Amino acid sequence: MPEIRRRSAPATRAAILDAARVRFGADGFDRVTIRDIAGDVGVDPAMVIRYFGSKDALFAEASAFDMELPDLTGLAPEAVADVLMVRFFDVWEDNAGFLSLMRAAATSKVAADKMLELFSRQVAPVLGSAAVDRPADRAALVGSQILGLALSRYVLRVPPLVAMSQEELRTLIGPVITHYLTGKVFE
Amino acid sequence: MPEIRRRSAPATRAAILDAARVRFGADGFDRVTIRDIAGDVGVDPAMVIRYFGSKDALFAEASAFDMELPDLTGLAPEAVADVLMVRFFDVWEDNAGFLSLMRAAATSKVAADKMLELFSRQVAPVLGSAAVDRPADRAALVGSQILGLALSRYVLRVPPLVAMSQEELRTLIGPVITHYLTGKVFE
DNA sequence: CGGTTAAGTCACCAACCGTTGACTTGGAGG
DNA sequence: CCTCCAAGTCAACGGTTGGTGACTTAACCG
């Protein structure tokens, strides 16, 4: 555990941001109070406002994150699905920002729009480049499965999906991703 | 429109319940106030408490609903997927209870558990009976895709999924449902 | 027509929330 | 050691919320 320097503004700010990520990821925007977060850090609620301006601004910073998807052009569709799912598991399991945003998106229009933009700017292009046609439609279908998995496994905690390993899920869902990207959609 | 008898307790109660369903479905539990609902009906907030006891009890009643899935034993897997999706669209599009529950499940443990129980008591058995093996696992996979579709189409409003018709979505996603249930490879 | 009772209203409470501004404290530099 | 400024605390505000209880009103019945 890193020695926390007392009376260090950047350290305190970072600690507040970390606590906010955890809280927002666990309970969502509305159910978390500034007093909660300040209490976790052991600091006065006024500090939160001092460093972040408002609860909304704090949430915006806490739920910001980057998918950092690699360039996948030229890869075989099966490989695309695999690489993608590996990356998603990484993001989901050690970046509370995504869970925060998804939880908030369920009840907040601005959060929903933010998530939509994240998807269309970062994820959809990569997916679309691997699609045989109708890139937007196919990317959206893949997204629905990916999001459904995240919701079921990390929010609802559906027991079978929680019990399965990442590898198992990849082998089960990967073919579906590939199918959405390459399968025939017209008869 | 049915003539609303003034000073009729059952009618007022029903009107409050309807307004609650709409509000909870649109904005989620936390962002809706008793005063909002009462305002929609044009009634005093105290009436809401009088008839339902508390906000939680009102939500429980407003978000209660029944899947009413028919018995599907013996049907071909493709038919199972189709029947299922038709039923889901019906529930989603004219019963705000489901959306209420899903939105609430994103941030409330009790709502998440309620949704989980609804799935495991009403949906999973039917799905499991159509699976070739590992009924719980296969049902959960189907559930993740179904839930992801609902989230993307009705909450996030992903444009391509909103634009598609029910029939189109059935032909695109149906084969995936069948695949999850039977393990059959796509052609 | 008058009275009884349920339906509906009103004022209000206690708790909690985000946010603010004035105050206090600690620690580094001269 | 003293000074000074950033870091941190404190008390309080205005507003909102779920919930309560006493009051008022309307409609049915004898």
Side-chain angles (χ1 to χ4, degrees):
Chain A
M1 195 177 294
E3 170 105 4
I4 292 182
R5 292 254 301 275
R6 300 185 173 199
R7 286 194 156 247
S8 155
T12 306
R13 213 193 106 102
I16 292 173
L17 192 56
D18 282 347
R21 265 196 262 264
V22 173
R23 281 276 184 178
F24 284 139
D27 300 332
F29 181 82
D30 292 303
R31 301 182 108 87
V32 173
T33 73
I34 288 186
R35 285 168 167 86
D36 288 336
I37 296 169
D40 290 344
V41 186
V43 111
D44 194 273
M47 298 297 288
V48 178
I49 301 295
R50 200 202 252 313
Y51 287 133
F52 295 91
S54 72
K55 187 186 178 184
D56 287 275
L58 171 61
F59 178 80
E61 199 158 332
S63 65
F65 67 103
D66 202 327
M67 276 292 175
E68 295 174 13
L69 290 179
D71 186 22
L72 300 179
T73 49
L75 257 64
E78 297 82 14
V80 169
D82 230 53
V83 169
L84 227 58
M85 291 192 68
V86 169
R87 181 75 196 118
F88 272 112
F89 280 121
D90 278 356
V91 172
W92 291 342
E93 301 200 351
D94 58 52
N95 186 332
F98 174 81
L99 277 186
S100 300
L101 191 55
M102 190 170 72
R103 285 198 143 98
T107 50
S108 156
K109 175 109 176 68
V110 301
D113 288 344
K114 200 169 159 185
M115 181 138 214
L116 204 55
E117 193 197 306
L118 180 108
F119 177 77
S120 63
R121 308 255 306 189
Q122 295 195 37
V123 183
V126 177
L127 287 174
S129 74
V132 293
D133 59 5
R134 300 170 73 189
D137 291 348
R138 293 181 183 277
L141 288 168
V142 173
S144 78
Q145 173 61 90
I146 294 293
L147 238 53
L149 175 61
L151 184 70
S152 303
R153 184 169 152 111
Y154 300 103
V155 177
L156 261 42
R157 303 202 131 84
V158 180
L161 297 180
V162 172
M164 289 186 203
S165 67
Q166 294 188 14
E167 290 81 358
E168 208 167 352
L169 287 169
R170 279 212 312 274
T171 65
L172 286 170
I173 298 182
V176 168
I177 309 289
T178 307
H179 170 256
Y180 277 143
L181 290 177
T182 67
K184 296 223 184 321
V185 295
F186 288 127
E187 302 289 311
Chain B
M1 194 177 295
E3 169 105 6
I4 293 183
R5 292 253 302 275
R6 301 184 173 205
R7 287 196 157 249
S8 155
T12 306
R13 213 192 106 104
I16 292 173
L17 192 56
D18 281 347
R21 265 194 263 261
V22 174
R23 282 275 186 179
F24 284 139
D27 300 332
F29 181 82
D30 293 304
R31 301 183 106 88
V32 173
T33 73
I34 289 186
R35 284 167 169 86
D36 287 336
I37 296 169
D40 290 344
V41 186
V43 108
D44 194 273
M47 299 296 289
V48 178
I49 301 295
R50 200 202 254 310
Y51 287 133
F52 295 91
S54 72
K55 187 185 176 185
D56 288 274
L58 171 61
F59 178 80
E61 199 159 330
S63 66
F65 67 102
D66 204 324
M67 276 293 175
E68 294 173 14
L69 290 180
D71 187 21
L72 300 179
T73 48
L75 255 64
E78 296 82 15
V80 169
D82 229 53
V83 169
L84 227 58
M85 291 192 69
V86 169
R87 181 73 197 120
F88 273 111
F89 279 120
D90 279 357
V91 172
W92 291 342
E93 299 198 354
D94 58 52
N95 185 332
F98 175 82
L99 276 186
S100 300
L101 192 54
M102 191 170 70
R103 285 197 144 98
T107 50
S108 154
K109 174 110 176 69
V110 301
D113 288 344
K114 200 170 159 185
M115 180 136 214
L116 204 56
E117 191 196 310
L118 180 109
F119 177 76
S120 62
R121 306 256 305 190
Q122 294 194 38
V123 183
V126 177
L127 286 174
S129 74
V132 292
D133 59 6
R134 299 169 72 189
D137 291 348
R138 293 184 182 277
L141 287 168
V142 172
S144 77
Q145 173 61 91
I146 295 291
L147 238 54
L149 176 61
L151 184 69
S152 304
R153 183 169 152 109
Y154 300 104
V155 177
L156 259 41
R157 303 201 129 85
V158 179
L161 297 179
V162 173
M164 289 185 202
S165 68
Q166 293 187 14
E167 289 81 358
E168 207 166 354
L169 287 169
R170 279 212 313 275
T171 65
L172 287 170
I173 298 182
V176 169
I177 308 289
T178 308
H179 169 257
Y180 277 143
L181 290 177
T182 65
K184 280 197 189 129
V185 239
F186 304 104
E187 7 210 326

